[in-house]
């Protein structure tokens, strides 16, 4: 086992993930952007593996993703991204400009709906969120969410749009700005490598 002396090279990052979880997807995307290698540990939510005693020790709230970095255990995708940003500042995901940084952090739209919610309810809620994002971003003419560089806003947005279009059949023609940005995001190799179908626990 690697010595835990706090050095970056001494501990292997471990990500507890489920291939279809969009929250896990955004963390995989961020890890790839930062060029951080990690061990993938699949937690099959469909089989209830998040309720096993071993996983409960890591996260008593029973959800993925969970990141283990030596002695540090972080759950919740937002908290994980902020941790990665502090601990591994290479390839920053937050711009230096305070206004741009705030805009990136403002993009955080958590999925409040459970898997059992009716499709129409889910679609309505996703569309409300996308409408707000569309208004927020309509004055930005950059390639990505907040300009010409990929930042945390993209890490949050891209998996959400992917899930919305593929799983919930959201019509993105209503959101031209988001659609244009998503075309750039989904062409990124780091995003493609993080996609659900490319994960070791993917079911095709």
């Amino acid at each position: 086992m690697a010595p835990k002396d706090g050095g970056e090279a001494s501990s292997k990052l471990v990500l507890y993930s489920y291939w279809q979880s969009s929250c896990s997807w955004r963390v995989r995307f961020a890890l790839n952007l930062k060029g951080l290698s990690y061990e993938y540990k699949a937690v099959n939510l469909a089989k209830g593996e998040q309720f096993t005693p071993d996983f409960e020790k890591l996260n008593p709230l029973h959800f993925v993703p969970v990141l283990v970095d030596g002695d540090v255990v972080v759950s919740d995708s937002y908290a994980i991204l902020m941790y990665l940003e502090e601990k591994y500042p290479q390839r920053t995901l937050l711009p230096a400009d305070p206004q741009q940084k705030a805009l990136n952090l403002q993009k955080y739209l958590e999925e409040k709906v459970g898997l059992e919610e009716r499709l129409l309810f889910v679609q309505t809620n996703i569309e409300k969120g996308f409408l707000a994002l569309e208004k927020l971003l309509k004055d930005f003419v950059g390639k990505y969410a907040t300009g010409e560089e990929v930042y945390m806003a993209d890490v949050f947005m891209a998996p959400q749009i992917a899930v919305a279009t593929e799983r919930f059949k959201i019509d993105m023609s209503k959101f031209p700005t988001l659609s244009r940005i998503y075309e750039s995001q989904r062409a990124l190799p780091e995003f493609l490598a993080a996609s659900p179908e490319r994960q070791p626990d993917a079911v095709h």
Side-chain angles (χ1 to χ4, degrees):
M1 199 165 162
K4 295 178 182 176
D5 60 4
E8 283 189 23
S10 66
S11 63
K12 170 94 168 160
L13 292 167
V14 179
L15 180 67
Y16 289 81
S17 172
Y18 179 56
W19 69 288
Q20 280 192 309
S21 157
S22 59
C23 296
S24 298
W25 189 348
R26 58 176 76 128
V27 173
R28 297 191 300 258
F29 187 14
L31 286 163
N32 292 347
L33 285 169
K34 284 183 173 289
L36 295 168
S37 61
Y38 62 94
E39 183 184 346
Y40 187 104
K41 293 227 174 172
V43 180
N44 190 328
L45 304 186
K47 290 185 177 173
E49 289 177 2
Q50 68 274 34
F51 298 108
T52 62
D54 282 349
F55 188 75
E56 188 166 0
K57 282 179 201 160
L58 291 171
N59 186 3
L61 295 173
H62 311 113
F63 57 70
V64 293
V66 173
L67 183 78
V68 178
D69 185 8
D71 291 328
V72 178
V73 179
V74 191
S75 56
D76 180 80
S77 63
Y78 185 79
I80 292 170
L81 292 185
M82 296 307 286
Y83 171 80
L84 290 172
E85 192 63 5
E86 292 280 329
K87 176 87 185 279
Y88 302 99
Q90 71 266 33
R91 180 59 191 84
T92 182
L93 295 176
L94 287 172
D97 176 72
Q99 188 181 357
Q100 286 280 313
K101 186 183 282 189
L103 188 63
N104 270 271
L105 295 174
Q106 202 176 324
K107 291 294 168 354
Y108 178 51
L109 288 179
E110 187 51 272
E111 298 86 39
K112 297 290 183 201
V113 292
L115 293 173
E116 72 287 345
E117 300 286 6
R118 290 199 327 276
L119 184 62
L120 183 63
F121 177 80
V122 174
Q123 285 176 329
T124 305
N125 276 276
I126 290 172
E127 289 195 358
K128 274 185 198 165
F130 281 2
L131 196 60
L133 272 181
E134 183 76 16
K135 285 177 182 170
L136 197 62
L137 293 175
K138 71 179 183 346
D139 298 327
F140 283 85
V141 291
K143 188 176 181 183
Y144 300 107
T146 58
E148 298 305 310
E149 296 289 326
V150 179
Y151 285 123
M152 200 173 284
D154 299 287
V155 171
F156 281 121
M157 274 175 59
Q160 231 164 358
I161 293 174
V163 169
T165 53
E166 290 158 31
R167 205 179 303 169
F168 298 120
K169 310 302 176 199
I170 298 291
D171 176 10
M172 289 303 291
S173 65
K174 301 175 191 174
F175 313 107
T177 306
L178 296 190
S179 296
R180 176 181 54 74
I181 292 166
Y182 180 57
E183 286 305 309
S184 300
Q185 292 167 337
R186 72 177 187 171
L188 292 163
E190 296 91 346
F191 178 70
L192 294 171
S195 63
E197 61 274 12
R198 295 209 187 173
Q199 304 317 302
D201 56 331
V203 177
H204 297 286

